[in-house]
Amino acid sequence: GAGTQAGLSLNASTVVVSVLVGVLVTVVAAVVPARRASRVAPVAAMRGDGAAVSGGLRRRGIVGGSLMVAGVLALGVSVTRDPVPWTVAAVAAVVAVIGMLVAAPLVTRPVVSVVTWPFVALGGVVGRLARENALRVPRRTAATGSALMIGLALIAGLSVLASSVSASTSKGVGNELTSDYVLGNGGSPVPTSVAVAARRLPQVQSAATVSAVDVRIGSFRTTATAATAADVGDNFVVKMAQGRLADLGGRSVLVDASTATAQGWQLGDGLDASVGTLTGEHLVVGGIYQDSQAFGSHVIVDRALYLTALPTSQQADLDVFVRAVPGADLALLRTQLTDVVRPFLVVSVQDGAEFAAAAGSSIDTLLNLLYILLLFSVVVAVLGIVNTLALSVLERTREIGLLRAIGLRRRQLGAMITIEAVATAVFGAVLGTLVGLGLGIALQHGLVSQGLTTLAIPWGLVVSMLVASGVVGVLAAALPAIRAVRLNILQAIAAT
């Protein structure tokens, strides 16, 4: 429904690269287990006592902790620099995450102990058995939870960034907008007759129309805002770095400070440009304004130039910003404006706070798409927990038979395996959430100069992820628990 003109595009290179990456990742993942298996003595393997590896956690913790601390420090220093060395910051973030993965087995016991504490307190011996089973091989628990950790770290980091973008945009628009009402259609064109009708209302001081037009200056291309200086000054707070707002007019344009710096433009510079359908236009930098959240564009051109640059059939207003006369009855004005836009159905009337909130939520569509993609990593994590529990049940067949023989009921056995799965899932979720929040906060600090001035942490989503991880553990435990409770006691005891 987005009006995409291109058809489906599938390149052979996409398939080839995907297959090669899949094979490479699998080979790399097999290196450590293969080396560990090759070091098991044949006699020990025949006896079955060479499966678990419990040593080396202290050394692993030191190495992982050192990497994590080094990565965090490097990342913290990088995001406080101006400009931010993003390559260094990215490498530091990767090092910090790798350090967390390496050191994860060392923090398994304290985290799992805290997670399983309610089950131990309420479930007694069943809870204690589940806790000890989860802690029996810390490497395995950490490896199983790491898939969920990475997925939730990405989701948590992305949610912090998205929430900060939304909060910063809403705050910026709210601080820069002085209009009483905004007539708009969510970024879609608004009929030009709406502004004409709004100006006729007795309580309206001004109705600023904002339109968009393509501008190309050399290799620089942007969608510029088209408006008049009087309308902009009456409905927005525009902070000029150089020049005056009143200098907007004719071929004199305004550019934001970041674009002027990036392109090397100075006040009074002449620019050969194409504006809409017009080519060979000579524009002049009439003023440089501080970066604005309200406009969302890098260049402002005069409304008269816009009307010349586009045919009448292509002209439309994106939004109409209405400023009431002093002392006006705003409730009555809103009713009148609602009557004006009623024939157009899709055009809405919003006050300044509502418009600022809507501007901040514009990222939600993209964010939801990314969340859906990241949920696939959670599916992978669930499969990992299922496989690990199934393997654990297979290895503990005789132990399960003995527990059943001395009185452990099927319901208690199922609960024990479920608690073990929940502990593993929540362990990965806790570490992933902490890593993701740290990365998201660091990224927000690094983008302060780009307008991301407000840090917003979606605590509701964080709590939801932790609760959902427990549900994931319950779902992952279903098949292994069913298999365990169906074991024949005598056959299980006889198993070797």
Side-chain angles (χ1 to χ4, degrees):
T4 304
Q5 301 299 319
L8 177 64
S9 177
L10 179 61
N11 299 322
S13 60
T14 302
V15 178
V16 173
V17 170
S18 298
V19 172
L20 291 178
V21 169
V23 173
L24 179 62
V25 168
T26 304
V27 171
V28 171
V31 170
V32 173
R35 291 186 61 190
R36 184 176 299 162
S38 66
R39 292 177 179 178
V40 177
V43 176
M46 294 174 66
R47 290 199 307 263
D49 57 2
V53 180
S54 58
L57 289 186
R58 178 175 299 178
R59 182 178 62 183
R60 181 168 177 167
I62 293 174
V63 173
S66 300
L67 288 174
M68 187 171 59
V69 171
V72 169
L73 291 177
L75 180 61
V77 172
S78 298
V79 297
T80 56
R81 301 282 298 277
D82 189 18
V84 177
W86 287 112
T87 301
V88 177
V91 172
V94 171
V95 170
V97 172
I98 292 176
M100 173 64 79
L101 291 173
V102 173
L106 198 65
V107 298
T108 301
R109 177 165 293 277
V111 174
V112 170
S113 297
V114 172
V115 170
T116 56
W117 175 80
F119 300 105
V120 174
L122 297 175
V125 66
V126 174
R128 288 197 297 272
L129 285 172
R131 180 187 61 190
E132 295 307 316
N133 286 333
L135 296 175
R136 180 177 300 184
V137 185
R139 294 172 185 268
R140 177 184 295 174
T141 301
T144 305
S146 63
L148 189 61
M149 184 194 93
I150 294 174
L152 293 186
L154 293 173
I155 293 176
L158 182 64
S159 65
V160 171
L161 180 61
S163 299
S164 299
V165 169
S166 179
S168 299
T169 302
S170 298
K171 182 179 179 180
V173 172
N175 290 339
E176 296 173 12
L177 185 66
T178 58
S179 301
D180 294 296
Y181 293 106
V182 181
L183 315 181
N185 184 22
S188 298
V190 175
T192 55
S193 58
V194 171
V196 176
R199 292 191 184 99
R200 293 174 180 166
L201 297 176
Q203 297 192 94
V204 172
Q205 176 175 301
S206 66
T209 54
V210 174
S211 305
V213 61
D214 288 336
V215 173
R216 179 180 293 177
I217 305 171
S219 60
F220 175 75
R221 184 171 182 172
T222 187
T223 300
T225 296
T228 64
D231 285 344
V232 170
D234 204 25
N235 291 273
F236 300 94
V237 176
V238 181
K239 298 179 181 179
M240 300 298 297
Q242 298 181 44
R244 301 178 305 158
L245 176 61
D247 291 330
L248 172 66
R251 265 54 179 175
S252 178
V253 301
L254 306 180
V255 299
D256 64 9
S258 61
T259 301
T261 301
Q263 300 297 323
W265 297 338
Q266 301 291 332
L267 187 66
D269 283 355
L271 308 173
D272 293 326
S274 297
V275 182
T277 60
L278 302 178
T279 58
E281 291 295 310
H282 185 74
L283 305 180
V284 177
V285 179
I288 299 175
Y289 62 94
Q290 295 182 8
D291 293 7
S292 169
Q293 295 281 2
F295 289 109
S297 63
H298 302 294
V299 178
I300 304 176
V301 302
D302 184 48
R303 178 81 177 175
L305 177 59
Y306 164 80
L307 297 176
T308 306
L310 289 179
T312 304
S313 59
Q314 297 182 21
Q315 296 174 9
D317 300 329
L318 293 181
D319 292 297
V320 179
F321 297 88
V322 178
R323 181 75 177 271
V325 297
D329 184 344
L330 295 181
L332 176 60
L333 177 57
R334 181 161 194 161
T335 301
Q336 294 172 340
L337 291 173
T338 302
D339 292 337
V340 167
V341 303
R342 182 171 288 112
F344 304 103
L345 298 179
V346 294
V347 180
S348 62
V349 179
Q350 297 176 311
D351 59 26
E354 293 168 342
F355 179 75
S361 63
S362 59
I363 194 176
D364 288 348
T365 301
L366 176 61
L367 182 63
N368 291 334
L369 176 61
L370 293 176
Y371 280 158
I372 292 173
L373 294 176
L374 289 173
L375 283 177
F376 284 106
S377 64
V378 177
V379 174
V380 173
V382 173
L383 295 177
I385 297 175
V386 171
N387 289 335
T388 299
L389 286 176
L391 177 61
S392 178
V393 170
L394 181 64
E395 291 178 346
R396 290 151 42 194
T397 299
R398 189 166 185 270
E399 175 186 322
I400 291 173
L402 291 172
L403 289 173
R404 294 277 286 115
I406 62 175
L408 188 69
R409 294 189 295 272
R410 289 184 175 183
R411 179 177 57 82
Q412 292 175 313
L413 176 59
M416 181 184 73
I417 295 175
T418 301
I419 294 171
E420 184 179 347
V422 170
T424 303
V426 176
F427 165 76
V430 169
L431 295 188
T433 301
L434 292 176
V435 171
L437 291 178
L439 294 178
I441 292 172
L443 190 57
Q444 182 272 329
H445 280 290
L447 293 172
V448 168
S449 61
Q450 305 299 317
L452 210 65
T453 55
T454 303
L455 173 64
I457 298 178
W459 293 112
L461 180 61
V462 170
V463 174
S464 299
M465 288 193 302
L466 295 176
V467 173
S469 65
V471 176
V472 165
V474 173
L475 296 176
L479 291 178
I482 291 173
R483 184 185 185 279
V485 299
R486 288 180 176 177
L487 288 175
N488 182 278
I489 298 177
L490 295 180
Q491 291 179 353
I493 294 174
T496 58

